[in-house]
Amino acid sequence: MNRLPFYLFVAALVVIGLALSLYRHSVYGVPWLPGESRAQWEVEARIAFDATGDPVKASMAAPNSQQGFILINESTSSQGYGVALQENEGKRSAQWAIRSAEGKQLIYYKARFLVDPDAEYTIYPPRIPTPHVFEELRQTAAQALLSEAFKQSAGNLTLTREIIRQLNDPKNQNAALLLNSINREDAIVSLLSMRKIPARIVASLKLEDGRRRQVIRPMVQVWDANKLRWQLFNPISGAEGKPSNLLIWSHDYHSLLDVVGGRQSAISFSMIAQDISPQQATREKIEAEDLLNFSIHSLPVEEQAMFKTIMLIPVGALLVVFLRIIVGLKTSGTFMPVLIAVAFVQTQLLTGIIGFLLIVGTGLMIRSYLSRLNLLLVARISAVIIAVILIISVFTVIAYRIGLLEGLSITFFPMIILSWTIERMSILWEEEGAKEVFIQGGGSLLTAILVYLAMTSELVRHLTFNFVGLQLMILALILMLGNYTGYRLSELRRFKPLADR
C-alpha cells in the first residue's frame, strides 16, 4: 500500500499547525512561554432574568480603572436591547432597555483589564456620612462596642480593624446583638458613620484563571484621611489592603444589578487570564473580519474557561497513546485515564487518588455480590452506576461531617466511566485473576497521574490554549505513533537472556 498520501497528510497537519502558531506569535504577539509579557484579565458578567412582556430596563454597576488594573476595553452583547454606559463621580453603570420583552433573557457584559502596578486612576474624596441610628437597644450596644474599639485605636484604619475584631469575637454580646439584625459589612460601615468616618461596601471579584459562575464578594473600604485614599478591608478576616488578584467591580455593592420589567434576576461572572504584549493592550487588535474572531478567543469568557480544560485533553490522549503503544503500559480502558486526570485537576492529586481508590475498591466489592445474582448486563451495569452514585454521596457526606472539605470535590469524578471501569475490572478478575486487575488498575492510575502532571503544567496550559495550531501537530504525532509496529519497551525484557550471553 502506498503510504505517500498518508505522510503528505501528516506533513500538511504539521505545516498548518506550525503556520497558525507562528501567525499567533508574530501578528498578535502571543509569547511562546507564559509570563514573558504583561497579563490581561477578561471578565464577563452574565445577567439572566425572566421578562414579563412589559418594557424592560436593566442597570448594572460597571467597573473602572483602579489600583493594579487598567480598563482597556469593554463591550456588551444583548439581543435587541439598546445600551448606554454612564459615569457619575467615578460610579459607572451599564444600562440596557427594550420596549417589550418576554421569557428568558440573557445579557453579557465583557471588560478587559491590563495588569499594571502603576495604574493611574481617579480618587474621589468622600462626603462626611450621616451617623447611623439603630433602634434603642441596639443603639446602646453599638455605642458600647464603638467606645471600646475607639479606646484601642489610633486612627480610622486601626479603629476599623478593632471593630472587625470585636465583631468576630463570639463572646462579645454587643456584637452578637448587632449581627442579629444587620449583616457584618453594614454593621462596620454603620459603626464608622457614628464617628463620621467615611466608609462604603464595595463589590469585589477574586480573579482565578478559568473560573466560571463566580459571585461578587462584599468588602469594606474606609477613607484614610492621612494618605487621602480608600483602604480596603476584608470584613470577615479583618485583613487590610487590596490583594493583587482582587478586582473592585463596583463602589456600590447594594446597587450591583437593578431590573425593571423582569423577575428572578441573577448575575454571575466568568474570567480568564491571557498573556499579551503591553503595546497590544493599549489598542484595538480585533476587527470584524479578523481571523481571531473565528478562534476560541471570540467566544464568551465562560465558554473560553471551559475550553481551557478541553484543549488539554489531546495532550492526555498523546500521553496515553505513547504509554500504550511505545511503552506497553496496560490500562483499564483506552482513554479512561484521561478522564480520571481531568477529575484530578478539579479535586487535586492526593484527594483524587484517594477518592478513586475508595470508589473503585468499594465498587468492586458491590460488583462481586451482583455477579452472584446472575443479572443481565444492562441491569448489572445500571445497578453499578447507582451504586457508584451512592458511594460518592456517602463519601462526600462523611468528608463534610469530619471537616475534610477537600472530599467534597469527589463529585467531579465521571460516574459512568467509573461504573464501566468497575464492571471491566470485575470481569477481568473473574477471567484473568487479581494480578491482572492490579496491573491494569495500577497502569491506569499511573497514566492518570502522568496526564495530570502534564495538564497542570503552566507551559502546557499556555501553549494548548493560545496556539490552537498545536492541536494539529499533536494529531499528526498521534497518527505517526499509530503506525508503529515494533516491540514495546516492556517487551524487551524477553531478550535479557540474550544480552547476558
Side-chain angles (χ1 to χ4, degrees):
M1 181 179 178
N2 187 5
R3 306 292 291 175
L4 181 61
F6 170 77
Y7 292 120
L8 290 176
F9 176 65
V10 171
L13 289 176
V14 174
V15 171
I16 294 172
L18 187 59
L20 288 175
S21 300
L22 291 173
Y23 181 81
R24 286 280 291 158
H25 177 71
S26 59
V27 176
Y28 296 106
V30 180
W32 295 115
L33 299 175
E36 280 189 6
S37 59
R38 294 164 68 179
Q40 174 185 268
W41 282 96
E42 203 167 301
V43 184
E44 182 182 77
R46 179 181 183 271
I47 301 171
F49 60 90
D50 293 326
T52 58
D54 300 320
V56 175
K57 182 179 179 181
S59 177
M60 182 201 69
N64 206 346
S65 297
Q66 55 193 272
Q67 178 185 348
F69 298 96
I70 298 176
L71 177 65
I72 58 174
N73 188 26
E74 57 186 339
S75 59
T76 67
S77 176
S78 51
Q79 187 68 32
Y81 283 79
V83 61
L85 295 170
Q86 298 183 349
E87 182 173 357
N88 182 23
E89 295 185 354
K91 293 184 177 180
R92 303 180 69 251
S93 64
Q95 298 181 354
W96 295 268
I98 193 171
R99 183 64 64 179
S100 177
E102 188 172 3
K104 189 73 172 180
Q105 304 291 304
L106 285 177
I107 296 176
Y108 290 96
Y109 169 88
K110 183 187 295 185
R112 288 194 298 151
F113 295 90
L114 178 66
V115 177
D116 186 358
D118 301 320
E120 295 183 0
Y121 56 99
T122 305
I123 299 177
Y124 293 89
R127 299 185 179 92
I128 300 300
T130 302
H132 183 87
V133 179
F134 294 91
E135 57 183 272
E136 184 176 356
L137 182 61
R138 290 185 172 83
Q139 182 74 8
T140 303
Q143 289 175 343
L145 187 149
L146 187 59
S147 176
E148 183 66 25
F150 187 78
K151 294 177 184 178
Q152 302 177 18
S153 63
N156 294 0
L157 304 185
T158 53
L159 176 60
T160 305
R161 284 200 299 265
E162 188 58 29
I163 288 174
I164 295 175
R165 188 189 68 79
Q166 293 203 29
L167 290 175
N168 286 334
D169 186 0
K171 298 180 181 179
N172 193 316
Q173 296 182 354
N174 293 324
L177 184 60
L178 287 177
L179 295 177
N180 278 338
S181 61
I182 190 172
N183 61 49
R184 187 180 300 271
E185 300 80 28
D186 286 322
I188 296 170
V189 172
S190 299
L191 288 169
L192 290 172
S193 72
M194 295 171 66
R195 286 287 177 180
K196 296 187 177 180
I197 298 174
R200 62 191 182 189
I201 305 174
V202 298
S204 68
L205 272 176
K206 184 179 180 182
L207 298 177
E208 297 180 273
D209 188 20
R211 301 293 290 181
R212 298 185 292 159
R213 304 294 173 92
Q214 295 293 89
V215 295
I216 285 291
R217 300 181 180 186
M219 304 284 276
V220 174
Q221 276 188 335
V222 180
W223 179 251
D224 185 352
N226 296 325
K227 298 182 179 180
L228 299 179
R229 67 178 185 181
W230 291 96
Q231 183 70 315
L232 192 71
F233 284 88
N234 187 318
I236 305 298
S237 65
E240 181 180 349
K242 183 175 180 288
S244 60
N245 65 336
L246 192 75
L247 176 71
I248 303 298
W249 186 265
S250 168
H251 293 138
D252 191 355
Y253 173 75
H254 295 297
S255 297
L256 178 64
L257 177 64
D258 296 311
V259 177
V260 178
R263 56 175 180 266
Q264 296 181 345
S265 60
I267 183 170
S268 61
F269 298 85
S270 303
M271 58 204 68
I272 196 167
Q274 297 176 350
D275 290 320
I276 61 170
S277 64
Q279 293 76 18
Q280 287 178 290
T282 57
R283 69 177 184 267
E284 291 293 332
K285 64 180 182 296
I286 303 176
E287 297 178 354
E289 290 85 15
D290 208 319
L291 177 63
L292 192 60
N293 280 338
F294 296 94
S295 72
I296 295 173
H297 297 80
S298 64
L299 297 173
V301 176
E302 183 176 348
E303 278 67 32
Q304 288 188 46
M306 177 182 63
F307 269 101
K308 196 155 194 174
T309 300
I310 292 176
M311 299 301 280
L312 291 169
I313 293 179
V315 176
L318 175 61
L319 273 174
V320 171
V321 170
F322 176 80
L323 291 173
R324 286 181 64 100
I325 295 178
I326 304 300
V327 179
L329 196 65
K330 293 183 178 180
T331 62
S332 179
T334 307
F335 292 103
M336 183 272 286
V338 178
L339 299 177
I340 298 300
V342 172
F344 285 172
V345 172
Q346 305 293 331
T347 64
Q348 300 305 314
L349 184 59
L350 182 60
T351 305
I353 292 174
I354 295 173
F356 176 78
L357 293 175
L358 286 174
I359 294 171
V360 174
T362 309
L364 283 173
M365 289 189 289
I366 296 175
R367 171 60 177 78
S368 65
Y369 170 73
L370 293 176
S371 63
R372 301 174 189 172
L373 302 179
N374 295 323
L375 300 176
L376 295 176
L377 175 62
V378 175
R380 189 171 66 240
I381 194 63
S382 300
V384 172
I385 291 173
I386 296 173
V388 168
I389 294 173
L390 292 176
I391 293 168
I392 292 177
S393 303
V394 170
F395 286 156
T396 303
V397 172
I398 293 174
Y400 175 74
R401 297 299 297 176
I402 63 177
L404 294 176
L405 299 183
E406 295 84 357
L408 300 180
S409 57
I410 200 174
T411 53
F412 286 105
F413 277 107
M415 300 177 186
I416 304 300
I417 299 300
L418 283 179
S419 301
W420 276 107
T421 300
I422 293 170
E423 174 70 16
R424 244 188 247 109
M425 285 185 173
S426 180
I427 295 175
L428 190 65
W429 192 306
E430 295 171 355
E431 295 178 351
E432 303 290 339
K435 179 181 177 181
E436 191 65 24
V437 171
F438 283 111
I439 290 175
Q440 293 194 16
S444 299
L445 189 57
L446 176 61
T447 304
I449 292 173
L450 294 176
V451 173
Y452 164 83
L453 294 176
M455 285 184 170
T456 52
S457 167
E458 283 299 323
L459 177 61
V460 173
R461 292 174 66 89
H462 171 79
L463 292 175
T464 54
F465 182 70
N466 289 288
F467 298 97
V468 181
L470 185 64
Q471 307 295 332
L472 298 179
M473 300 170 72
I474 292 175
L475 174 59
L477 189 54
I478 289 175
L479 292 176
M480 290 299 296
L481 288 174
N483 276 274
Y484 180 74
T485 57
Y487 287 110
R488 295 173 174 84
L489 294 178
S490 60
E491 295 174 333
L492 296 180
R493 66 175 182 271
R494 294 186 302 169
F495 300 99
K496 188 175 181 302
L498 294 178
D500 294 337
R501 294 179 186 178

